[in-house]
Amino acid sequence: MVRIAVVEDEAVSRTLLRDYLRRYGEERTLHIDATYFTDGAAIVGDYKPVYDIILMDIQMAHLDGMSAARAIREVDQEVILVFITSAPQFAINGYEVGALSYLLKPLPWFAFSQELDRCMRALAKRQRASLLLQSGATTHRVDVADIVYAESVKHRIDVHTLSGVYSVVSTLKAMEAELAGHNFFRSNSCYLVSLAHVRGVSDHECLMTGGDRLRISRPRRKAFMSALADYAGGID
Protein backbone atom coordinates (compact mmCIF):
# COMPACT_ATOMS: atom_id res chain seq x y z
CA MET A 1 0.00 0.00 0.00
CA VAL A 2 1.15 3.52 -0.83
CA ARG A 3 -0.17 6.47 1.17
CA ILE A 4 -0.55 9.65 -0.88
CA ALA A 5 -1.68 13.09 0.27
CA VAL A 6 -3.16 15.43 -2.34
CA VAL A 7 -3.14 19.12 -1.43
CA GLU A 8 -5.18 21.05 -3.99
CA ASP A 9 -7.62 23.93 -3.48
CA GLU A 10 -9.37 23.65 -6.87
CA ALA A 11 -12.26 21.18 -6.83
CA VAL A 12 -11.88 20.35 -10.53
CA SER A 13 -8.18 19.55 -10.09
CA ARG A 14 -8.87 17.43 -6.99
CA THR A 15 -11.43 15.41 -8.93
CA LEU A 16 -8.98 14.92 -11.80
CA LEU A 17 -6.24 13.77 -9.42
CA ARG A 18 -8.66 11.41 -7.67
CA ASP A 19 -9.55 9.86 -11.04
CA TYR A 20 -5.89 9.64 -12.05
CA LEU A 21 -4.90 7.94 -8.79
CA ARG A 22 -7.74 5.45 -9.13
CA ARG A 23 -6.70 4.67 -12.70
CA TYR A 24 -3.02 4.41 -11.75
CA GLY A 25 -3.80 1.97 -8.95
CA GLU A 26 -5.92 -0.17 -11.25
CA GLU A 27 -3.37 -0.24 -14.07
CA ARG A 28 -0.40 -0.93 -11.77
CA THR A 29 -2.35 -3.29 -9.47
CA LEU A 30 -1.39 -1.05 -6.57
CA HIS A 31 -3.41 -0.21 -3.46
CA ILE A 32 -3.33 3.57 -3.04
CA ASP A 33 -4.64 5.13 0.16
CA ALA A 34 -5.25 8.77 -0.80
CA THR A 35 -6.12 11.64 1.53
CA TYR A 36 -7.27 14.98 0.13
CA PHE A 37 -6.67 18.46 1.57
CA THR A 38 -8.08 21.74 0.26
CA ASP A 39 -5.25 23.99 1.46
CA GLY A 40 -1.68 23.90 2.74
CA ALA A 41 -2.88 24.90 6.19
CA ALA A 42 -5.14 21.83 6.31
CA ILE A 43 -2.28 19.34 5.93
CA VAL A 44 0.22 21.26 8.08
CA GLY A 45 -2.16 21.47 11.03
CA ASP A 46 -1.56 18.37 13.19
CA TYR A 47 0.68 16.86 10.48
CA LYS A 48 1.94 13.34 11.13
CA PRO A 49 4.63 11.62 9.01
CA VAL A 50 2.39 8.87 7.67
CA TYR A 51 2.50 9.65 3.93
CA ASP A 52 4.81 8.20 1.30
CA ILE A 53 4.09 10.86 -1.33
CA ILE A 54 2.58 14.35 -1.23
CA LEU A 55 1.19 15.93 -4.41
CA MET A 56 1.11 19.65 -3.59
CA ASP A 57 -0.41 22.57 -5.43
CA ILE A 58 1.72 25.70 -5.02
CA GLN A 59 -0.74 28.57 -5.36
CA MET A 60 -3.39 28.28 -2.64
CA ALA A 61 -5.42 30.87 -0.79
CA HIS A 62 -4.48 30.44 2.87
CA LEU A 63 -1.10 28.70 2.97
CA ASP A 64 0.81 28.24 -0.28
CA GLY A 65 2.40 24.93 -1.18
CA MET A 66 5.99 26.05 -0.71
CA SER A 67 5.33 27.34 2.82
CA ALA A 68 3.41 24.16 3.65
CA ALA A 69 6.30 22.05 2.33
CA ARG A 70 8.80 23.94 4.51
CA ALA A 71 6.65 23.27 7.58
CA ILE A 72 6.32 19.58 6.67
CA ARG A 73 10.07 19.21 6.18
CA GLU A 74 10.61 20.30 9.78
CA VAL A 75 9.01 17.05 10.96
CA ASP A 76 9.25 14.73 7.94
CA GLN A 77 12.42 14.45 5.88
CA GLU A 78 11.40 11.25 4.11
CA VAL A 79 8.12 11.97 2.33
CA ILE A 80 8.40 12.42 -1.45
CA LEU A 81 7.18 15.85 -2.56
CA VAL A 82 5.87 16.66 -6.03
CA PHE A 83 4.56 20.14 -6.79
CA ILE A 84 1.66 20.73 -9.16
CA THR A 85 1.33 24.20 -10.63
CA SER A 86 0.25 26.25 -13.62
CA ALA A 87 3.16 28.66 -13.03
CA PRO A 88 6.53 26.88 -13.31
CA GLN A 89 8.40 29.94 -12.03
CA PHE A 90 6.99 29.17 -8.57
CA ALA A 91 8.34 25.61 -8.66
CA ILE A 92 12.00 26.40 -9.28
CA ASN A 93 12.61 26.79 -5.54
CA GLY A 94 11.48 23.23 -4.93
CA TYR A 95 15.07 22.21 -4.23
CA GLU A 96 14.82 24.13 -0.94
CA VAL A 97 12.41 21.52 0.39
CA GLY A 98 13.84 18.51 -1.43
CA ALA A 99 11.00 18.20 -3.93
CA LEU A 100 11.42 15.35 -6.39
CA SER A 101 9.95 17.37 -9.26
CA TYR A 102 6.92 19.35 -10.40
CA LEU A 103 4.01 18.80 -12.78
CA LEU A 104 2.44 21.49 -14.94
CA LYS A 105 -1.28 22.17 -15.25
CA PRO A 106 -3.30 21.33 -17.24
CA LEU A 107 -2.16 17.88 -16.23
CA PRO A 108 -2.27 15.15 -18.91
CA TRP A 109 -2.59 11.51 -17.86
CA PHE A 110 0.67 10.40 -19.49
CA ALA A 111 2.79 13.00 -17.67
CA PHE A 112 1.07 12.18 -14.38
CA SER A 113 1.54 8.42 -14.72
CA GLN A 114 5.19 8.81 -15.72
CA GLU A 115 5.87 11.05 -12.74
CA LEU A 116 4.13 8.67 -10.37
CA ASP A 117 6.24 5.83 -11.79
CA ARG A 118 9.28 7.94 -10.93
CA CYS A 119 7.95 8.46 -7.41
CA MET A 120 7.47 4.72 -7.00
CA ARG A 121 11.04 4.04 -8.07
CA ALA A 122 12.33 6.65 -5.62
CA LEU A 123 10.12 5.20 -2.90
CA ALA A 124 11.40 1.68 -3.54
CA LYS A 125 15.00 2.88 -3.24
CA ARG A 126 14.54 4.75 0.00
CA GLN A 127 11.79 2.75 1.62
CA ARG A 128 12.85 0.87 4.69
CA ALA A 129 10.74 -0.88 7.25
CA SER A 130 9.63 1.69 9.79
CA LEU A 131 7.49 2.12 12.88
CA LEU A 132 5.31 5.02 13.91
CA LEU A 133 6.00 5.74 17.58
CA GLN A 134 3.63 7.94 19.58
CA SER A 135 5.87 9.60 22.15
CA GLY A 136 3.88 12.11 24.17
CA ALA A 137 2.04 14.41 21.78
CA THR A 138 4.44 13.73 18.90
CA THR A 139 4.41 10.90 16.36
CA HIS A 140 7.81 9.80 15.07
CA ARG A 141 8.59 7.62 12.06
CA VAL A 142 11.58 5.45 13.06
CA ASP A 143 13.49 3.12 10.76
CA VAL A 144 13.47 -0.41 12.13
CA ALA A 145 17.15 -0.68 11.16
CA ASP A 146 17.91 2.20 13.57
CA ILE A 147 16.30 0.53 16.59
CA VAL A 148 18.99 -0.87 18.90
CA TYR A 149 16.69 -2.34 21.54
CA ALA A 150 13.38 -1.84 23.32
CA GLU A 151 13.22 -1.76 27.11
CA SER A 152 10.20 -2.38 29.31
CA VAL A 153 9.99 0.25 32.05
CA LYS A 154 6.88 -0.03 34.24
CA HIS A 155 3.90 0.73 31.98
CA ARG A 156 5.85 2.03 28.99
CA ILE A 157 8.46 0.97 26.47
CA ASP A 158 11.66 2.94 25.92
CA VAL A 159 12.74 2.43 22.31
CA HIS A 160 16.50 3.03 22.07
CA THR A 161 17.54 4.11 18.57
CA LEU A 162 20.68 5.45 16.93
CA SER A 163 19.26 8.97 17.19
CA GLY A 164 17.72 8.89 20.66
CA VAL A 165 15.21 7.26 23.00
CA TYR A 166 11.45 7.34 22.43
CA SER A 167 9.14 6.52 25.33
CA VAL A 168 5.81 5.02 24.27
CA VAL A 169 2.83 3.54 26.06
CA SER A 170 2.95 -0.11 25.02
CA THR A 171 4.10 -3.55 26.10
CA LEU A 172 7.15 -5.54 25.14
CA LYS A 173 4.86 -8.26 23.78
CA ALA A 174 3.15 -5.77 21.47
CA MET A 175 6.50 -4.35 20.35
CA GLU A 176 7.79 -7.85 19.69
CA ALA A 177 4.77 -8.52 17.46
CA GLU A 178 5.35 -5.28 15.52
CA LEU A 179 9.00 -6.15 14.97
CA ALA A 180 8.41 -9.79 14.04
CA GLY A 181 10.49 -10.80 11.04
CA HIS A 182 13.11 -8.09 11.61
CA ASN A 183 15.63 -10.10 13.66
CA PHE A 184 14.71 -8.99 17.17
CA PHE A 185 14.99 -11.35 20.13
CA ARG A 186 14.04 -11.20 23.81
CA SER A 187 17.23 -11.40 25.86
CA ASN A 188 15.17 -11.39 29.06
CA SER A 189 11.78 -10.21 30.30
CA CYS A 190 12.82 -6.53 30.02
CA TYR A 191 14.70 -6.28 26.72
CA LEU A 192 13.88 -6.86 23.07
CA VAL A 193 17.22 -6.76 21.26
CA SER A 194 18.09 -6.07 17.63
CA LEU A 195 20.49 -8.85 16.65
CA ALA A 196 21.94 -6.50 14.03
CA HIS A 197 23.16 -4.22 16.82
CA VAL A 198 24.74 -6.87 19.06
CA ARG A 199 28.47 -6.10 19.12
CA GLY A 200 29.52 -8.87 21.47
CA VAL A 201 28.43 -11.33 24.16
CA SER A 202 30.19 -12.06 27.44
CA ASP A 203 28.83 -14.35 30.13
CA HIS A 204 25.23 -13.23 30.56
CA GLU A 205 25.42 -9.83 28.88
CA CYS A 206 25.30 -8.57 25.32
CA LEU A 207 27.13 -5.43 24.25
CA MET A 208 24.99 -3.22 22.02
CA THR A 209 25.73 -0.49 19.51
CA GLY A 210 26.25 2.63 21.60
CA GLY A 211 27.86 0.75 24.47
CA ASP A 212 24.88 -0.40 26.55
CA ARG A 213 25.21 -3.82 28.16
CA LEU A 214 21.98 -5.80 28.43
CA ARG A 215 21.31 -8.79 30.61
CA ILE A 216 20.69 -12.18 28.98
CA SER A 217 18.66 -14.37 31.31
CA ARG A 218 19.93 -17.88 31.96
CA PRO A 219 16.82 -19.62 30.54
CA ARG A 220 17.02 -17.58 27.33
CA ARG A 221 20.78 -17.68 26.76
CA LYS A 222 20.90 -20.82 24.61
CA ALA A 223 18.06 -19.67 22.35
CA PHE A 224 19.52 -16.17 22.18
CA MET A 225 22.94 -17.45 21.10
CA SER A 226 21.31 -19.72 18.53
CA ALA A 227 19.30 -16.82 17.09
CA LEU A 228 22.43 -14.66 17.00
CA ALA A 229 24.40 -17.39 15.21
CA ASP A 230 21.61 -17.84 12.67
CA TYR A 231 21.50 -14.09 12.05
CA ALA A 232 25.28 -13.89 11.65
CA GLY A 233 25.12 -16.78 9.21
CA GLY A 234 22.54 -15.02 7.10
CA ILE A 235 19.58 -17.18 8.14
CA ASP A 236 16.39 -15.17 8.70
Side-chain angles (χ1 to χ4, degrees):
M1 181 177 68
V2 177
R3 295 181 175 89
I4 299 179
V6 176
V7 189
E8 171 60 71
D9 63 344
E10 296 178 354
V12 172
S13 294
R14 280 198 310 276
T15 299
L16 179 66
L17 288 168
R18 182 179 286 108
D19 292 342
Y20 278 0
L21 287 174
R22 184 183 301 113
R23 178 178 173 182
Y24 187 89
E26 290 172 353
E27 292 189 0
R28 303 302 195 274
T29 318
L30 179 67
H31 180 199
I32 295 176
D33 181 8
T35 305
Y36 297 86
F37 299 90
T38 57
D39 191 82
I43 188 172
V44 168
D46 197 31
Y47 178 85
K48 291 180 173 58
V50 297
Y51 304 108
D52 300 302
I53 301 167
I54 297 177
L55 305 177
M56 179 91 74
D57 187 18
I58 290 183
Q59 295 173 283
M60 293 181 285
H62 299 291
L63 185 66
D64 66 89
M66 196 64 68
S67 297
R70 291 190 185 102
I72 288 169
R73 279 295 185 232
E74 291 180 3
V75 294
D76 190 349
Q77 294 293 320
E78 297 298 319
V79 67
I80 294 172
L81 282 170
V82 176
F83 287 118
I84 301 174
T85 181
S86 56
Q89 66 269 24
F90 291 113
I92 60 175
N93 293 326
Y95 69 89
E96 295 179 7
V97 291
L100 181 67
S101 60
Y102 67 91
L103 288 166
L104 283 177
K105 297 178 181 179
L107 185 57
W109 160 250
F110 181 75
F112 176 84
S113 62
Q114 290 293 103
E115 189 57 42
L116 217 54
D117 282 344
R118 186 182 178 198
C119 288
M120 295 305 164
R121 289 193 295 270
L123 187 62
K125 287 181 180 179
R126 73 166 63 174
Q127 198 169 48
R128 304 167 70 186
S130 62
L131 288 182
L132 290 178
L133 299 178
Q134 183 74 38
S135 183
T138 306
T139 302
H140 304 271
R141 189 202 300 265
V142 176
D143 286 339
V144 169
D146 289 345
I147 298 175
V148 180
Y149 66 95
E151 177 183 11
S152 177
V153 182
K154 294 184 178 179
H155 300 295
R156 71 178 193 274
I157 299 296
D158 286 349
V159 182
H160 297 254
T161 75
L162 296 177
S163 58
V165 180
Y166 301 94
S167 184
V168 300
V169 178
S170 185
T171 65
L172 208 58
K173 183 178 181 180
M175 188 65 63
E176 187 174 17
E178 286 196 76
L179 293 170
H182 294 289
N183 296 305
F184 282 77
F185 198 89
R186 292 274 287 270
S187 66
N188 63 26
S189 60
C190 296
Y191 298 118
L192 179 64
V193 173
S194 168
L195 298 176
H197 287 289
V198 175
R199 294 293 172 257
V201 177
S202 61
D203 295 328
H204 293 286
E205 287 184 333
C206 54
L207 175 64
M208 306 302 297
T209 299
D212 287 345
R213 292 181 177 274
L214 308 181
R215 184 74 176 171
I216 306 171
S217 68
R218 188 180 299 275
R220 293 178 185 267
R221 192 176 194 282
K222 183 177 180 180
F224 181 85
M225 295 304 296
S226 177
L228 186 61
D230 286 348
Y231 173 78
I235 302 173
D236 293 330

PDB file of all heavy atoms in Angstrom, residues 2 13 26 29 49 56 65 76 78 93 108 119-120 122 127 138 148 150 153 158 182 216 223 231:
ATOM      1  N   VAL A   2       0.457   2.244  -0.779  1.00  0.00           N
ATOM      2  CA  VAL A   2       1.151   3.521  -0.833  1.00  0.00           C
ATOM      3  C   VAL A   2       0.198   4.603  -0.344  1.00  0.00           C
ATOM      4  O   VAL A   2      -0.935   4.707  -0.820  1.00  0.00           O
ATOM      5  CB  VAL A   2       1.627   3.845  -2.266  1.00  0.00           C
ATOM      6  CG1 VAL A   2       2.286   5.217  -2.316  1.00  0.00           C
ATOM      7  CG2 VAL A   2       2.593   2.779  -2.763  1.00  0.00           C
ATOM      8  N   SER A  13      -9.489  20.209 -10.095  1.00  0.00           N
ATOM      9  CA  SER A  13      -8.177  19.549 -10.093  1.00  0.00           C
ATOM     10  C   SER A  13      -8.146  18.385  -9.111  1.00  0.00           C
ATOM     11  O   SER A  13      -7.536  17.348  -9.388  1.00  0.00           O
ATOM     12  CB  SER A  13      -7.083  20.560  -9.737  1.00  0.00           C
ATOM     13  OG  SER A  13      -6.964  21.547 -10.741  1.00  0.00           O
ATOM     14  N   GLU A  26      -5.349   0.947 -10.505  1.00  0.00           N
ATOM     15  CA  GLU A  26      -5.920  -0.175 -11.248  1.00  0.00           C
ATOM     16  C   GLU A  26      -4.941  -0.708 -12.285  1.00  0.00           C
ATOM     17  O   GLU A  26      -4.771  -1.926 -12.429  1.00  0.00           O
ATOM     18  CB  GLU A  26      -7.221   0.268 -11.925  1.00  0.00           C
ATOM     19  CG  GLU A  26      -8.361   0.533 -10.946  1.00  0.00           C
ATOM     20  CD  GLU A  26      -9.570   1.148 -11.621  1.00  0.00           C
ATOM     21  OE1 GLU A  26      -9.468   1.487 -12.828  1.00  0.00           O
ATOM     22  OE2 GLU A  26     -10.615   1.299 -10.950  1.00  0.00           O
ATOM     23  N   THR A  29      -1.945  -2.338 -10.517  1.00  0.00           N
ATOM     24  CA  THR A  29      -2.347  -3.287  -9.466  1.00  0.00           C
ATOM     25  C   THR A  29      -1.724  -2.875  -8.134  1.00  0.00           C
ATOM     26  O   THR A  29      -1.026  -3.636  -7.467  1.00  0.00           O
ATOM     27  CB  THR A  29      -1.922  -4.732  -9.826  1.00  0.00           C
ATOM     28  OG1 THR A  29      -2.173  -4.983 -11.202  1.00  0.00           O
ATOM     29  CG2 THR A  29      -2.711  -5.737  -8.997  1.00  0.00           C
ATOM     30  N   PRO A  49       3.847  12.175  10.129  1.00  0.00           N
ATOM     31  CA  PRO A  49       4.626  11.619   9.006  1.00  0.00           C
ATOM     32  C   PRO A  49       4.160  10.225   8.595  1.00  0.00           C
ATOM     33  O   PRO A  49       4.866   9.233   8.761  1.00  0.00           O
ATOM     34  CB  PRO A  49       6.051  11.595   9.567  1.00  0.00           C
ATOM     35  CG  PRO A  49       5.861  11.418  11.035  1.00  0.00           C
ATOM     36  CD  PRO A  49       4.611  12.171  11.392  1.00  0.00           C
ATOM     37  N   MET A  56       1.411  18.344  -4.194  1.00  0.00           N
ATOM     38  CA  MET A  56       1.114  19.646  -3.585  1.00  0.00           C
ATOM     39  C   MET A  56       0.957  20.749  -4.628  1.00  0.00           C
ATOM     40  O   MET A  56       1.881  21.030  -5.398  1.00  0.00           O
ATOM     41  CB  MET A  56       2.258  20.009  -2.628  1.00  0.00           C
ATOM     42  CG  MET A  56       2.105  21.352  -1.932  1.00  0.00           C
ATOM     43  SD  MET A  56       1.260  21.236  -0.358  1.00  0.00           S
ATOM     44  CE  MET A  56       2.547  20.496   0.658  1.00  0.00           C
ATOM     45  N   GLY A  65       1.759  26.233  -1.217  1.00  0.00           N
ATOM     46  CA  GLY A  65       2.397  24.930  -1.176  1.00  0.00           C
ATOM     47  C   GLY A  65       3.839  24.953  -0.724  1.00  0.00           C
ATOM     48  O   GLY A  65       4.297  24.048  -0.019  1.00  0.00           O
ATOM     49  N   ASP A  76       9.240  15.911   8.808  1.00  0.00           N
ATOM     50  CA  ASP A  76       9.251  14.733   7.938  1.00  0.00           C
ATOM     51  C   ASP A  76      10.232  14.956   6.791  1.00  0.00           C
ATOM     52  O   ASP A  76       9.946  15.671   5.830  1.00  0.00           O
ATOM     53  CB  ASP A  76       7.845  14.478   7.383  1.00  0.00           C
ATOM     54  CG  ASP A  76       7.724  13.130   6.676  1.00  0.00           C
ATOM     55  OD1 ASP A  76       8.766  12.487   6.435  1.00  0.00           O
ATOM     56  OD2 ASP A  76       6.585  12.725   6.372  1.00  0.00           O
ATOM     57  N   GLU A  78      11.439  12.401   4.996  1.00  0.00           N
ATOM     58  CA  GLU A  78      11.399  11.247   4.108  1.00  0.00           C
ATOM     59  C   GLU A  78      10.340  11.323   3.017  1.00  0.00           C
ATOM     60  O   GLU A  78      10.522  10.766   1.934  1.00  0.00           O
ATOM     61  CB  GLU A  78      11.165   9.973   4.936  1.00  0.00           C
ATOM     62  CG  GLU A  78      12.274   9.662   5.931  1.00  0.00           C
ATOM     63  CD  GLU A  78      13.601   9.425   5.246  1.00  0.00           C
ATOM     64  OE1 GLU A  78      13.614   8.767   4.192  1.00  0.00           O
ATOM     65  OE2 GLU A  78      14.621   9.910   5.744  1.00  0.00           O
ATOM     66  N   ASN A  93      12.014  26.828  -6.881  1.00  0.00           N
ATOM     67  CA  ASN A  93      12.612  26.788  -5.543  1.00  0.00           C
ATOM     68  C   ASN A  93      12.319  25.482  -4.811  1.00  0.00           C
ATOM     69  O   ASN A  93      12.565  25.372  -3.612  1.00  0.00           O
ATOM     70  CB  ASN A  93      12.118  27.966  -4.702  1.00  0.00           C
ATOM     71  CG  ASN A  93      12.623  29.296  -5.228  1.00  0.00           C
ATOM     72  OD1 ASN A  93      13.737  29.383  -5.748  1.00  0.00           O
ATOM     73  ND2 ASN A  93      11.806  30.331  -5.111  1.00  0.00           N
ATOM     74  N   PRO A 108      -1.872  16.302 -18.090  1.00  0.00           N
ATOM     75  CA  PRO A 108      -2.274  15.146 -18.907  1.00  0.00           C
ATOM     76  C   PRO A 108      -1.977  13.834 -18.184  1.00  0.00           C
ATOM     77  O   PRO A 108      -1.063  13.756 -17.358  1.00  0.00           O
ATOM     78  CB  PRO A 108      -1.408  15.291 -20.163  1.00  0.00           C
ATOM     79  CG  PRO A 108      -0.198  16.028 -19.708  1.00  0.00           C
ATOM     80  CD  PRO A 108      -0.639  16.930 -18.589  1.00  0.00           C
ATOM     81  N   CYS A 119       8.110   8.429  -8.871  1.00  0.00           N
ATOM     82  CA  CYS A 119       7.945   8.456  -7.414  1.00  0.00           C
ATOM     83  C   CYS A 119       8.058   7.055  -6.824  1.00  0.00           C
ATOM     84  O   CYS A 119       8.679   6.857  -5.775  1.00  0.00           O
ATOM     85  CB  CYS A 119       6.589   9.051  -7.047  1.00  0.00           C
ATOM     86  SG  CYS A 119       6.429  10.822  -7.314  1.00  0.00           S
ATOM     87  N   MET A 120       7.443   6.089  -7.495  1.00  0.00           N
ATOM     88  CA  MET A 120       7.470   4.716  -6.997  1.00  0.00           C
ATOM     89  C   MET A 120       8.886   4.153  -7.004  1.00  0.00           C
ATOM     90  O   MET A 120       9.280   3.425  -6.086  1.00  0.00           O
ATOM     91  CB  MET A 120       6.540   3.825  -7.827  1.00  0.00           C
ATOM     92  CG  MET A 120       5.074   4.193  -7.729  1.00  0.00           C
ATOM     93  SD  MET A 120       4.470   4.225  -6.027  1.00  0.00           S
ATOM     94  CE  MET A 120       2.937   5.130  -6.261  1.00  0.00           C
ATOM     95  N   ALA A 122      11.629   5.965  -6.715  1.00  0.00           N
ATOM     96  CA  ALA A 122      12.329   6.648  -5.623  1.00  0.00           C
ATOM     97  C   ALA A 122      11.912   6.074  -4.277  1.00  0.00           C
ATOM     98  O   ALA A 122      12.738   5.892  -3.374  1.00  0.00           O
ATOM     99  CB  ALA A 122      12.034   8.147  -5.672  1.00  0.00           C
ATOM    100  N   GLN A 127      12.711   3.296   0.635  1.00  0.00           N
ATOM    101  CA  GLN A 127      11.785   2.750   1.617  1.00  0.00           C
ATOM    102  C   GLN A 127      12.451   1.679   2.468  1.00  0.00           C
ATOM    103  O   GLN A 127      13.028   0.733   1.967  1.00  0.00           O
ATOM    104  CB  GLN A 127      10.553   2.172   0.930  1.00  0.00           C
ATOM    105  CG  GLN A 127       9.379   1.974   1.863  1.00  0.00           C
ATOM    106  CD  GLN A 127       8.113   1.661   1.089  1.00  0.00           C
ATOM    107  OE1 GLN A 127       8.124   0.808   0.211  1.00  0.00           O
ATOM    108  NE2 GLN A 127       7.038   2.336   1.413  1.00  0.00           N
ATOM    109  N   THR A 138       3.770  13.749  20.198  1.00  0.00           N
ATOM    110  CA  THR A 138       4.439  13.726  18.900  1.00  0.00           C
ATOM    111  C   THR A 138       4.527  12.309  18.350  1.00  0.00           C
ATOM    112  O   THR A 138       4.818  11.367  19.080  1.00  0.00           O
ATOM    113  CB  THR A 138       5.865  14.309  19.016  1.00  0.00           C
ATOM    114  OG1 THR A 138       5.796  15.607  19.602  1.00  0.00           O
ATOM    115  CG2 THR A 138       6.518  14.410  17.650  1.00  0.00           C
ATOM    116  N   VAL A 148      17.952  -0.052  18.269  1.00  0.00           N
ATOM    117  CA  VAL A 148      18.988  -0.874  18.899  1.00  0.00           C
ATOM    118  C   VAL A 148      18.343  -1.895  19.835  1.00  0.00           C
ATOM    119  O   VAL A 148      18.650  -3.081  19.780  1.00  0.00           O
ATOM    120  CB  VAL A 148      19.997   0.010  19.664  1.00  0.00           C
ATOM    121  CG1 VAL A 148      21.080  -0.852  20.317  1.00  0.00           C
ATOM    122  CG2 VAL A 148      20.626   1.037  18.721  1.00  0.00           C
ATOM    123  N   ALA A 150      14.542  -2.378  22.619  1.00  0.00           N
ATOM    124  CA  ALA A 150      13.384  -1.843  23.324  1.00  0.00           C
ATOM    125  C   ALA A 150      13.430  -2.347  24.756  1.00  0.00           C
ATOM    126  O   ALA A 150      13.747  -3.512  25.006  1.00  0.00           O
ATOM    127  CB  ALA A 150      12.091  -2.277  22.644  1.00  0.00           C
ATOM    128  N   VAL A 153       9.813  -0.533  30.829  1.00  0.00           N
ATOM    129  CA  VAL A 153       9.987   0.252  32.053  1.00  0.00           C
ATOM    130  C   VAL A 153       8.605   0.569  32.609  1.00  0.00           C
ATOM    131  O   VAL A 153       7.899   1.439  32.099  1.00  0.00           O
ATOM    132  CB  VAL A 153      10.761   1.560  31.785  1.00  0.00           C
ATOM    133  CG1 VAL A 153      10.971   2.327  33.086  1.00  0.00           C
ATOM    134  CG2 VAL A 153      12.095   1.280  31.106  1.00  0.00           C
ATOM    135  N   ASP A 158      10.651   2.009  26.407  1.00  0.00           N
ATOM    136  CA  ASP A 158      11.656   2.944  25.918  1.00  0.00           C
ATOM    137  C   ASP A 158      12.333   2.307  24.705  1.00  0.00           C
ATOM    138  O   ASP A 158      12.976   1.252  24.823  1.00  0.00           O
ATOM    139  CB  ASP A 158      12.700   3.253  26.992  1.00  0.00           C
ATOM    140  CG  ASP A 158      12.159   4.170  28.075  1.00  0.00           C
ATOM    141  OD1 ASP A 158      11.062   4.732  27.887  1.00  0.00           O
ATOM    142  OD2 ASP A 158      12.837   4.320  29.115  1.00  0.00           O
ATOM    143  N   HIS A 182      12.026  -9.060  11.790  1.00  0.00           N
ATOM    144  CA  HIS A 182      13.108  -8.089  11.612  1.00  0.00           C
ATOM    145  C   HIS A 182      14.312  -8.391  12.508  1.00  0.00           C
ATOM    146  O   HIS A 182      15.088  -7.495  12.830  1.00  0.00           O
ATOM    147  CB  HIS A 182      12.598  -6.674  11.880  1.00  0.00           C
ATOM    148  CG  HIS A 182      11.592  -6.200  10.879  1.00  0.00           C
ATOM    149  ND1 HIS A 182      11.921  -5.890   9.579  1.00  0.00           N
ATOM    150  CD2 HIS A 182      10.248  -6.016  10.983  1.00  0.00           C
ATOM    151  CE1 HIS A 182      10.835  -5.513   8.930  1.00  0.00           C
ATOM    152  NE2 HIS A 182       9.806  -5.592   9.757  1.00  0.00           N
ATOM    153  N   ILE A 216      21.288 -11.015  29.628  1.00  0.00           N
ATOM    154  CA  ILE A 216      20.690 -12.181  28.979  1.00  0.00           C
ATOM    155  C   ILE A 216      20.330 -13.158  30.091  1.00  0.00           C
ATOM    156  O   ILE A 216      21.206 -13.607  30.841  1.00  0.00           O
ATOM    157  CB  ILE A 216      21.660 -12.866  27.996  1.00  0.00           C
ATOM    158  CG1 ILE A 216      22.201 -11.869  26.975  1.00  0.00           C
ATOM    159  CG2 ILE A 216      20.970 -14.023  27.284  1.00  0.00           C
ATOM    160  CD1 ILE A 216      23.322 -12.432  26.110  1.00  0.00           C
ATOM    161  N   ALA A 223      18.864 -20.067  23.505  1.00  0.00           N
ATOM    162  CA  ALA A 223      18.056 -19.670  22.351  1.00  0.00           C
ATOM    163  C   ALA A 223      18.563 -18.352  21.768  1.00  0.00           C
ATOM    164  O   ALA A 223      18.568 -18.164  20.543  1.00  0.00           O
ATOM    165  CB  ALA A 223      16.589 -19.543  22.756  1.00  0.00           C
ATOM    166  N   TYR A 231      21.478 -15.417  12.679  1.00  0.00           N
ATOM    167  CA  TYR A 231      21.502 -14.095  12.047  1.00  0.00           C
ATOM    168  C   TYR A 231      22.867 -13.831  11.413  1.00  0.00           C
ATOM    169  O   TYR A 231      22.961 -13.379  10.271  1.00  0.00           O
ATOM    170  CB  TYR A 231      21.182 -13.005  13.068  1.00  0.00           C
ATOM    171  CG  TYR A 231      21.364 -11.618  12.503  1.00  0.00           C
ATOM    172  CD1 TYR A 231      20.404 -11.062  11.658  1.00  0.00           C
ATOM    173  CD2 TYR A 231      22.518 -10.884  12.776  1.00  0.00           C
ATOM    174  CE1 TYR A 231      20.582  -9.811  11.104  1.00  0.00           C
ATOM    175  CE2 TYR A 231      22.706  -9.626  12.229  1.00  0.00           C
ATOM    176  CZ  TYR A 231      21.730  -9.092  11.393  1.00  0.00           C
ATOM    177  OH  TYR A 231      21.923  -7.852  10.831  1.00  0.00           O
TER     178      TYR A 231
END
